[in-house]
Amino acid sequence: MGPEASAAKRATRFPPWIRKRIPAGDEAARVRRLLADLGLSTVCSSARCPNLAECYARGTATFLILGESCTRSCRFCAIPSADPGPPREDEPEAVAEAAARMGLRHVVVTSVTRDDLADGGAGHFARTIRAVHARLPQAVIEVLTPDFQGSRAALDAVLDARPDIFNHNVETAPRLYPAIRPEADYHRSLDVLAYAKQQAEARGLKMWTKSGLMVGLGETPDEVRAVLGDLRKAGCDMVTIGQYLSPSAAHAPVARFVEPAEFEAWKAEARAMGFRAAAAGPFVRSSYEAERVFCEGAGAPG
């Protein structure tokens, strides 16, 4: 066994801080039943998120629209790569119904990437935003979108529906894109965030932009710092930084487990760089405690 294989094997031995207590109670079962009744998917389940039990037990979930398989094959993601099939016509209304039954004040909607659709699924996002707005007019709506292959028309369709938070993840440092996100483009993702921010300001919308990245994939501290700087230049308001956890042996291996103190340092550095809100920790994900992160950002000066 060579040194690289030995290092990867050591990295898969979870350190003590990579442990989650499974909450007790009936709320998680209620959320599961509700989602099943309405035929809805969540990224919590499809992406094998380690926070699933905790979030369901709090009565929250991140809705996954446009199918349960993806037209891309990123090496960090548990969602399978396959033909997702046609979008479900009544899905926007079903998401709104679920959000209302769950009593959500902060509704997070994401999707698989749909490069097979002419608009990348942007129209479906817009319909979902409008359906939730109609059912829950006081709720904050956060969308976590794919890059729509950089289409301005697709982005305009989403922005016209007036989400409160527009999130698009850069995921990792540009050097790692060929190995981790071979069908994506780092600069295109930055352009998506910058365009969304510019258009929101041009339209007089009070809309926050947000992005997230994983650490533990082999990036260097300088690369993380550079990504944060690029996000600020793109006008990004909020950032999340979490530990990469490999979904299976077929996915990219964990290069290292980042200690909690280092996450705290990244959070402090992000705030010092001007992000209105930053969440960083081993189990932080894009939509994890999204309402708390938004409230932190909304209350920050700037």
Side-chain angles (χ1 to χ4, degrees), residues 26-168:
D26 298 329
E27 185 64 16
R30 186 185 76 85
V31 169
R32 291 179 188 275
R33 286 194 301 270
L34 186 153
L35 294 168
D37 288 346
L38 294 170
L40 292 172
S41 301
T42 67
V43 74
C44 323
S45 176
S46 296
R48 304 180 199 170
C49 180
N51 302 313
L52 183 150
E54 177 187 345
C55 292
Y56 279 17
R58 290 205 313 265
T60 65
T62 295
F63 300 105
L64 181 72
I65 62 173
L66 288 165
E68 291 187 276
S69 53
C70 186
T71 55
R72 296 187 188 176
S73 52
C74 296
R75 290 202 63 222
F76 67 88
C77 185
I79 295 176
S81 178
D83 179 2
R88 176 183 160 187
E89 284 299 317
D90 67 341
E91 190 171 52
E93 291 73 27
V95 169
E97 175 68 18
R101 289 195 204 175
M102 294 166 72
L104 297 179
R105 298 174 302 182
H106 192 112
V107 182
V108 187
V109 180
T110 189
S111 79
V112 296
T113 299
R114 295 297 306 258
D115 290 333
D116 60 316
L117 299 177
D119 69 349
H124 202 75
F125 260 106
R127 287 182 53 212
T128 304
I129 295 167
R130 292 190 174 102
V132 176
H133 269 314
R135 190 68 187 273
L136 294 171
Q138 302 305 314
V140 171
I141 301 178
E142 176 173 338
V143 292
L144 171 57
T145 78
D147 61 26
F148 300 122
Q149 299 188 73
S151 168
R152 297 289 195 257
L155 289 166
D156 286 340
V158 175
L159 297 174
D160 284 344
R162 303 175 71 93
D164 298 287
I165 303 166
F166 179 91
N167 188 350
H168 173 68

Side-chain angles (χ1 to χ4, degrees), residues 11 47 81 85 95 102 107 110 115 125 130-131 197 204 210 215-216 220 222 224 237 252 267 271 295 301:
S81 178
V95 169
M102 294 166 72
V107 182
T110 189
D115 290 333
F125 260 106
R130 292 190 174 102
K197 189 65 175 177
K210 180 178 177 182
V215 290
T220 68
D222 283 345
V224 175
D237 298 300
K267 178 178 178 179
R271 290 302 305 270
C295 289

Side-chain angles (χ1 to χ4, degrees), residues 131-283:
V132 176
H133 269 314
R135 190 68 187 273
L136 294 171
Q138 302 305 314
V140 171
I141 301 178
E142 176 173 338
V143 292
L144 171 57
T145 78
D147 61 26
F148 300 122
Q149 299 188 73
S151 168
R152 297 289 195 257
L155 289 166
D156 286 340
V158 175
L159 297 174
D160 284 344
R162 303 175 71 93
D164 298 287
I165 303 166
F166 179 91
N167 188 350
H168 173 68
N169 287 337
V170 291
E171 304 291 9
T172 189
R175 176 178 61 86
L176 298 175
Y177 264 56
I180 304 301
R181 301 187 75 200
E183 296 154 291
D185 182 274
Y186 177 74
H187 294 289
R188 181 168 65 195
S189 285
L190 289 175
D191 287 344
V192 164
L193 288 160
Y195 182 80
K197 189 65 175 177
Q198 292 161 4
Q199 288 301 302
E201 291 175 349
R203 300 169 192 216
L205 302 178
K206 189 177 180 181
M207 185 194 81
W208 310 106
T209 51
K210 180 178 177 182
S211 191
L213 64 150
M214 303 168 288
V215 290
L217 277 162
E219 71 293 326
T220 68
D222 283 345
E223 286 177 320
V224 175
R225 196 166 288 114
V227 170
L228 293 175
D230 288 341
L231 289 173
R232 284 300 299 135
K233 289 175 187 174
C236 194
D237 298 300
M238 305 179 187
V239 67
T240 58
I241 306 172
Q243 170 71 54
Y244 169 66
L245 297 174
S246 182
S248 77
H251 291 80
V254 176
R256 76 180 181 107
F257 289 106
V258 177
E259 296 193 9
E262 188 174 335
F263 280 111
E264 287 300 314
W266 282 125
K267 178 178 178 179
E269 186 159 350
R271 290 302 305 270
M273 293 174 73
F275 286 96
R276 295 185 63 140
F283 292 106

Side-chain angles (χ1 to χ4, degrees), residues 3-16:
E4 291 184 1
S6 297
K9 185 175 181 180
R10 287 195 301 272
T12 59
R13 298 171 185 163
F14 285 5

